[in-house]
Amino acid sequence: MMPAISARSRLYVEGTDDLHAIANLVEAHGIDYRTNASAPEIEKVIGVEKLLKTIETAVELAGGRAVGFASTPTRRSPPAGPRSASTS
């Protein structure tokens, strides 16, 4: 038996922080994304690599419904530059 495919659009997010950020933003605009049929379902995927692997299958299964993907950019250290010597 095949799993039921949702009639709602779907937004895949990378990690708990992204899930909470988007959920809070949507709810701040008065939309209950859990029950509102016009709001996309939000699905958490752990790790950017897994999110990237999800794209092809999710698009194929979308069946004409909107599908989106969100990930927070990775923080990178600033490039190392010349350091000034401190004198006491």
Side-chain angles (χ1 to χ4, degrees):
M1 187 161 125
M2 300 262 314
I5 297 176
S6 171
R8 291 172 57 185
S9 299
R10 188 169 282 228
L11 176 62
Y12 294 87
V13 298
E14 187 268 318
T16 303
D17 290 344
D18 293 329
L19 172 67
H20 290 299
I22 291 173
N24 287 330
L25 179 64
V26 170
E27 289 176 350
H29 288 279
I31 300 168
D32 183 352
Y33 73 92
R34 292 177 194 94
T35 61
N36 187 325
S38 64
E41 290 184 44
I42 302 173
E43 184 172 329
K44 177 176 69 171
V45 178
I46 301 297
V48 72
E49 291 81 15
K50 188 171 180 184
L51 180 67
L52 292 171
K53 289 179 183 177
T54 302
I55 294 173
E56 185 175 350
T57 303
V59 170
E60 288 174 357
L61 294 176
R65 291 177 298 277
V67 61
F69 305 88
S71 177
T72 304
T74 305
R75 290 191 180 127
R76 298 181 188 235
S77 300
R83 295 184 180 192
S84 59
S86 60
T87 55
S88 309

